[in-house]
Amino acid sequence: MRNQSIQSDQFPAAVCCLRYALLSLMMMCTSTSLMAQVEINRSIDAQGKKYYTPPTRTAVDRGLKYLAERQHADGSFGSGSTFKSNVAVTALCGMAFLADGNTPGRGKYGLQVQRATDFILASCKPSGYIISPESISHGPMYGHGFATLFLAEVYGMTHSKDVRLKLEKAVELIVKSQNAKGGWRYTPESKDADLSVTVCQIMALRAARNCGIFVSKEVIDRCIDYVKKSQNPDGGFRYQLVRQAESEFPRSAAGVVALYSAGIYEGAEIENGLGYLMRHLPNQRYFRGSHYYYGQYYAVQAMWQAGSNYWDGWYSAIREELIAVQMTSGSWRPDSSNCVEYSTAMSCIVLQIPRNNIPIFQR
């Protein structure tokens, strides 16, 4: 009986010791996991610092200063008869400021971000369509896609209820306007599709999902199918399925990013697409090509996702090219398809990709 009494008295102590040991082990595992995550984050930060050189920082500072001075009283950006108060240009300028670490009301350019956000929200129609009547555009769904992407990033950083309500309506419009081919075209009512507008909507949907907005798997699967069908044998992408068009660099860069945004990170489509892009490594001769900034905006994202084997050479080349051609005003000269605010915002975004500040661009 004494032995039983002793064992009974000792049992709770033994259990406590066992629990303590298990708890310690769990804490050690959690700590190790957290340390590993910190190391991964530090690795990305270190790589960003490696590529984001002092001259790059100076170029971006000059570009952002130029953009801040070009913002209109209503918070919009854009110039000329076609791009004045354009929601796409405003969204991209806002993204350039977000990439610098600013958020609405906070940071050196927090006021500019807030005003851009207010303009985008004011441009949201009851249907969810984001469009400014003051801006003439042959493809308003471009504007809607970029504006939705911007709102998703802003919502993820602020959790503003007003932003979420408008964002949900904007996403709903994208989903409802997906046509039978699985893509999108210039307007919500379009029955056909093209790769360029489709990629814009895919990125908006991905950003929305990242911040907690529901998007069905069926919608994404149909997107993926459309993009895959748009790829040519050479790895590049055509403009529309109905055309036997040759591949071109700008939309091919967009096509690869669309696959990444849809959750496809490896496979023949990715490898062939990257191979095609690498045949168009940035150089001075290509600088005045049509849709140059559009192409570089997507290409740098593709290479950042692809990793060091592709990223090292690409970013160094585009960084040096953009710094070399920046104008004394701090802006970048636009090509024939856009305005100076667009080209400057795109250049600032491209240069800031390794800073890893915007979730949609993160690895």
Side-chain angles (χ1 to χ4, degrees), residues 92 146 249-251 253-254 286-301 314 318 321-327 330-351:
L92 288 167
F146 281 120
F249 166 73
R251 61 172 170 262
Y286 188 73
F287 182 75
R288 299 310 302 169
S290 179
H291 303 294
Y292 169 79
Y293 299 100
Y294 172 94
Q296 296 302 336
Y297 166 80
Y298 284 114
V300 76
Q301 293 178 55
W314 191 279
I318 189 58
E321 182 168 289
L322 287 175
I323 292 175
V325 298
Q326 186 177 26
M327 301 172 70
S331 66
W332 275 267
R333 188 185 305 278
D335 58 41
S336 60
S337 63
N338 49 61
C339 62
V340 67
E341 293 84 0
Y342 173 95
S343 55
T344 301
M346 285 294 212
S347 297
C348 287
I349 292 171
V350 168
L351 291 175

Side-chain angles (χ1 to χ4, degrees), residues 97-98 101-114 157:
F97 291 124
L98 292 180
N102 303 281
T103 58
R106 296 192 176 191
K108 182 177 180 179
Y109 294 109
L111 176 61
Q112 284 75 19
V113 177
Q114 183 62 64
M157 297 174 183

Side-chain angles (χ1 to χ4, degrees), residues 160-226:
S160 164
K161 292 182 179 179
D162 189 28
V163 173
R164 182 179 180 111
L165 288 173
K166 299 291 179 68
L167 174 60
E168 287 178 330
K169 293 290 288 183
V171 169
E172 183 180 347
L173 182 133
I174 294 175
V175 171
K176 287 183 176 179
S177 61
Q178 185 180 31
N179 58 46
K181 296 177 181 177
W184 291 265
R185 189 71 160 132
Y186 293 146
T187 67
E189 302 82 17
S190 297
K191 301 303 180 184
D192 59 348
D194 73 64
L195 183 70
S196 184
V197 177
T198 296
V199 172
C200 198
Q201 311 316 309
I202 292 175
M203 287 197 67
L205 293 178
R206 173 60 183 269
R209 291 184 77 179
N210 285 350
C211 67
I213 306 299
F214 174 76
V215 179
S216 74
K217 183 177 182 296
E218 179 185 0
V219 171
I220 301 302
D221 287 345
R222 293 174 64 202
C223 294
I224 294 172
D225 183 60
Y226 179 84

Side-chain angles (χ1 to χ4, degrees), residues 263-276:
I264 300 174
Y265 298 101
E266 56 185 20
E269 294 89 357
I270 292 291
E271 292 302 319
N272 293 338
L274 291 172
Y276 175 88

